[in-house]
């Protein structure tokens, strides 16, 4: 049974690939002091209107508790602000600060280069892979 799982488990293979990709992006983003997950979180806040914690959690497929824990170090670094929603004081909105935007401006070219390098080494059709991964995430 162990060999069957090792050789065929989609969850295992997806987790391994995700960790390997995260390490590559972590290495690339190290010069600007970000990890891949932090970059994803910050880029998800780069919107015309400040998103809610719930909408960001949904986008990143994270539970709100995990997202909140991941926000705290970025907030301490002054990269984002958490504020009460003007219409619903129970809801929280997330806003990039000027420092957060400046850091993203440094990080985006690094991410772009790393992404292009990784994508050119993916066998097959990268767009098809994205579609398949997104389909799995929606189920």
């Amino acid at each position: 049974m162990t060999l069957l799982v090792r050789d065929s488990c989609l969850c295992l293979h997806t987790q391994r690939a995700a960790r390997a990709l995260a390490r590559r992006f972590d290495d690339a983003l190290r010069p600007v002091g970000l990890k891949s997950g932090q970059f994803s979180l910050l880029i998800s806040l780069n919107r015309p209107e400040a998103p809610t914690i719930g909408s960001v959690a949904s986008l990143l497929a994270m539970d709100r508790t995990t997202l909140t824990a991941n926000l705290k170090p970025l907030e301490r670094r002054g990269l984002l602000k958490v504020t009460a929603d003007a219409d619903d004081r129970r809801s929280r909105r997330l806003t990039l600060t000027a420092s957060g935007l400046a850091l993203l401006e440094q990080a985006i070219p690094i991410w772009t280069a790393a992404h292009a390098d990784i994508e050119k080494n993916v066998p097959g059709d990268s767009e098809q892979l994205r579609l398949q991964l997104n389909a799995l995430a929606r189920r």
Side-chain angles (χ1 to χ4, degrees):
M1 187 54 141
T2 300
L3 296 178
L4 175 65
V5 171
R6 181 198 70 191
D7 295 341
S8 64
C9 179
L10 290 173
C11 185
L12 171 67
H13 290 276
T14 302
Q15 288 171 334
R16 286 176 57 200
R19 284 191 288 270
L21 283 171
R23 277 192 303 274
R24 299 242 341 242
F25 281 107
D26 287 349
D27 290 345
L29 292 165
R30 187 170 289 116
V32 293
L34 288 175
K35 296 217 177 250
S36 60
Q38 293 173 320
F39 175 82
S40 296
L41 202 162
L42 290 173
I43 201 75
S44 76
L45 306 183
N46 192 25
R47 308 180 194 185
E49 184 178 323
T52 63
I53 287 179
S55 69
V56 173
S58 178
L59 173 70
L60 299 177
M62 298 173 89
D63 61 73
R64 292 169 60 100
T65 304
T66 303
L67 175 60
T68 299
N70 283 283
L71 290 170
K72 292 199 183 296
L74 299 172
E75 186 178 20
R76 281 192 299 271
R77 285 177 62 184
L79 302 176
L80 61 91
K81 290 187 312 186
V82 181
T83 56
D85 184 288
D87 299 325
D88 180 358
R89 304 294 290 169
R90 296 168 298 165
S91 185
R92 299 284 175 248
R93 297 251 173 208
L94 304 171
T95 309
L96 286 172
T97 63
S99 295
L101 283 168
L103 184 61
L104 274 181
E105 286 180 13
Q106 292 177 331
I108 287 171
I110 295 168
W111 176 89
T112 301
H115 188 270
D117 184 57
I118 290 166
E119 191 162 294
K120 77 177 180 194
N121 291 304
V122 171
D125 182 357
S126 296
E127 184 57 28
Q128 187 62 33
L129 176 58
R130 264 188 293 281
L131 290 171
Q132 292 168 338
L133 292 170
N134 283 326
L136 286 172
R138 283 191 298 272
R139 294 186 181 253

